[in-house]
Amino acid sequence: MTRAQAIAHAQDYYDSGRLKSDLSRLVAMPTESQNPERAPVLSEYLDKEMRPLLESLGFECKTLNHPIAKGPFLLAQRIEDPSLPTIFGYGHGDVIRGLDAQWSEGLSPWKLTERDGRWYGRGVVDNKGQHVININALKAVLETRGKLGFNVKYLIEMGEESGSPGLRELCEEQKELFKADVLIASDGPRLNAERPTVFLGARGVITFDLSIVAREGGHHSGNWGGILSDPAIQLAHAIASIASPTGQIRIHEWVPKELPRAVREAVADCIIDGGPDGPVIDPNWGEPGLSPAEQVFGWCSFDVLAMKSGVPETPVNAVPPSAWARCQLRFVVGIDAQDVIPALKRHLIRHGFPMIEVSTNGSERFGATRLDPEDAWVKFTLASIEKSTGKKPALLPNLGGSLPNDIFADILGLRTIWVPHSYPGCSQHAPDEHLPAFIAREALTAMAGLYWDIGEPGRPAV
Ligand SMILES: [Zn+2]
């Protein structure tokens, strides 16, 4: 029994139509974690689909709950020999809201539909399609070799689209139960549709509000303009002190000391391309001297997500009483996440803006993570995927976006290797979410080969 046979088994899962029919059933379950009415469906997804599938592969399944979680967690374990390495798998069965009314004619979020070589449906890429591919790639290896040759712990959560409440706490409380060596999981997009991709972490993110409330109510700009401070002007200057006219960050605590050589080398052949519908990159935006890939995967970025002063819909002749902006910093490993807001406050005082209130109430916040691109498991994974697909995978030190990878990297202490099975144009989180069918087949190929290789003696030490 050989590697090629394991890959053929995985490809047959696609070619025979079984992946499509399995995924159709999963997509038909409206597991919207942001919709409280769907709570029963969240449990059903695990009990009716994931548990039977994993049990049929010899996994021992346990449902875990946490008081602050949106839905249950399923931990499935298959321990062949405690002395073998343990791979940690992760996926989420919940989806973002369906937005039923906004899908194109003839498409529905809850019915998998094939059109022009794409599979449409909510969750086909985020994340049902991705974990069902991985679990069935494990199955193909088991069917071929009779065993995996390593241990697996697979965690499926049902609250990721609501910010994974309880996941962090659960991992902290269950460190022993979740103990493993390497995370190999799939979520998010490839660099582009054609190119298999591996990413090793995620940028961190902190979202915060800047606001100035100068006084109550607006005052006539003819009678009072010139003697009342204008919060809109003050806020515009404050933002200008944070970033240059070309978007370069001006707070030194917010940018890394340097771009590490391993990161620069990893992204040297990565071209950012949003496809025909993607935006045109502004080459002179951001940190001078960096390529677009270095900027997104190796550096930090600051954006103003929204801002307001006065009444934009119906402007009046008045000095506005207040101004507000919601801002965001995306940051890489090396930035002290705890110091991002204190550094901002120091900066604002130093530049003469003591009137600005900085608030992070309830905002999104993830730490930055990145496994060393030179780790032996990274090289091993890249070589395995190249051998199976005949394509040189893109290596991204971290995703430009954010995901709670710090839970796995920092709390569970895992090496984190992500192999995404989607692409930037997939409309995840929007109407018409879809998976190009050829990616599904290539992903099964790559994952079956990778799981096969992990069960061989040539795998790296843990
Ligand atoms: Zn999502």
Side-chain angles (χ1 to χ4, degrees):
M1 287 294 174
T2 65
R3 184 179 201 273
Q5 282 169 310
I7 289 176
H9 268 131
Q11 290 171 338
D12 182 61
Y13 176 60
Y14 173 90
D15 296 338
S16 66
R18 281 175 289 147
L19 170 62
K20 194 177 174 189
S21 67
D22 285 351
L23 193 50
S24 300
R25 279 198 324 279
L26 302 182
V27 164
M29 303 180 86
T31 52
E32 301 164 303
S33 59
Q34 294 167 326
N35 180 350
E37 286 167 30
R38 302 299 197 189
V41 196
L42 300 183
S43 301
E44 243 174 66
Y45 185 85
L46 296 181
D47 297 341
K48 291 203 176 142
E49 291 289 344
M50 292 299 118
R51 189 181 263 270
L53 170 62
L54 287 154
E55 282 176 351
S56 76
L57 304 184
F59 280 77
E60 199 182 294
C61 293
K62 198 181 247 181
T63 301
L64 303 167
N65 289 291
H66 196 279
I68 66 166
K70 287 274 170 185
F73 299 83
L74 184 73
L75 179 70
Q77 309 186 65
R78 191 176 194 283
I79 307 298
E80 293 187 355
D81 177 348
S83 69
L84 291 170
T86 301
I87 302 301
F88 196 90
Y90 163 84
H92 65 90
D94 65 313
V95 295
I96 204 89
R97 283 177 187 276
L99 310 172
D100 303 39
Q102 298 171 36
W103 286 56
S104 296
E105 185 77 34
L107 299 178
S108 150
W110 314 122
K111 185 173 184 304
L112 191 149
T113 307
E114 181 161 2
R115 185 179 283 182
D116 303 328
R118 295 167 164 185
W119 294 355
Y120 286 84
R122 179 60 84 222
V124 287
V125 293
D126 187 14
N127 171 267
K128 294 172 177 176
Q130 302 214 28
H131 59 259
V132 83
I133 283 171
N134 290 3
I135 294 169
N136 280 281
L138 284 168
K139 184 176 178 184
V141 171
L142 261 176
E143 284 169 351
T144 309
R145 188 187 264 144
K147 59 180 184 176
L148 292 172
F150 54 94
N151 306 314
V152 179
K153 295 185 179 179
Y154 217 109
L155 179 70
I156 298 179
E157 71 156 317
M158 300 304 295
E160 197 267 353
E161 302 294 0
S162 295
S164 298
L167 177 62
R168 187 173 299 275
E169 292 75 7
L170 191 69
C171 289
E172 255 158 14
E173 290 159 20
Q174 302 284 359
K175 272 187 197 154
E176 204 40 48
L177 182 62
F178 290 175
K179 195 170 162 16
D181 300 300
V182 186
L183 172 125
I184 293 181
S186 300
D187 200 10
R190 294 173 160 197
L191 180 65
N192 59 54
E194 296 300 327
R195 196 162 174 204
T197 299
V198 170
F199 65 87
L200 307 177
R203 286 205 291 187
V205 61
I206 294 181
T207 306
F208 54 89
D209 289 2
L210 299 179
S211 56
I212 302 174
V213 180
R215 60 191 71 83
E216 244 183 67
H219 292 273
H220 193 284
S221 53
N223 301 332
W224 297 97
I227 53 174
L228 292 183
S229 66
D230 183 333
I233 294 174
Q234 290 173 315
L235 185 61
H237 278 280
I239 291 170
S241 78
I242 295 172
S244 80
T246 53
Q248 182 183 22
I249 294 172
R250 287 173 155 162
I251 299 179
H252 68 88
E253 293 93 333
W254 281 14
V255 287
K257 301 259 176 295
E258 54 166 12
L259 187 67
R261 182 188 50 81
V263 172
R264 193 181 287 269
E265 284 176 7
V267 302
D269 67 349
C270 293
I271 306 292
I272 296 182
D273 177 8
D277 307 329
V280 177
I281 291 171
D282 293 311
N284 297 319
W285 192 255
E287 183 69 17
L290 299 185
S291 72
E294 289 168 347
Q295 181 73 54
V296 174
F297 303 119
W299 210 253
C300 306
S301 59
F302 168 74
D303 281 289
V304 178
L305 307 181
M307 61 193 296
K308 186 173 177 180
S309 186
V311 189
E313 300 76 20
T314 51
V316 292
N317 287 326
V319 179
S322 63
W324 167 92
R326 175 152 298 169
C327 305
Q328 187 173 72
L329 179 72
R330 302 257 175 192
F331 58 97
V332 292
V333 165
I335 306 305
D336 179 357
Q338 300 307 321
D339 193 43
V340 166
I341 296 299
L344 170 64
K345 289 180 177 169
R346 293 194 298 271
H347 170 93
L348 290 172
I349 297 286
R350 213 163 47 233
H351 286 78
F353 302 106
M355 75 296 285
I356 293 187
E357 187 81 31
V358 180
S359 146
T360 55
N361 284 345
S363 66
E364 199 182 7
R365 205 173 180 135
F366 285 126
T369 53
R370 176 201 289 152
L371 173 63
D372 180 0
E374 301 194 316
D375 187 279
W377 278 85
V378 176
K379 297 204 156 94
F380 169 82
T381 302
L382 294 170
S384 170
I385 295 174
E386 184 162 356
K387 189 173 170 190
S388 306
T389 63
K391 295 179 179 174
K392 181 175 183 271
L395 174 61
L396 306 181
N398 44 254
L399 207 59
S402 303
L403 53 97
N405 191 55
D406 56 331
I407 297 177
F408 306 119
D410 299 339
I411 298 175
L412 297 182
L414 301 169
R415 290 176 177 85
T416 52
I417 296 177
W418 294 82
V419 186
H421 309 323
S422 180
Y423 82 113
C426 68
S427 298
Q428 138 193 28
H429 289 203
D432 297 351
E433 177 178 346
H434 62 273
L435 168 64
F438 83 89
I439 294 184
R441 191 174 193 277
E442 193 172 71
L444 280 163
T445 304
M447 296 310 290
L450 179 57
Y451 290 136
W452 177 272
D453 291 341
I454 294 173
E456 293 284 282
R459 66 174 165 253
V462 289

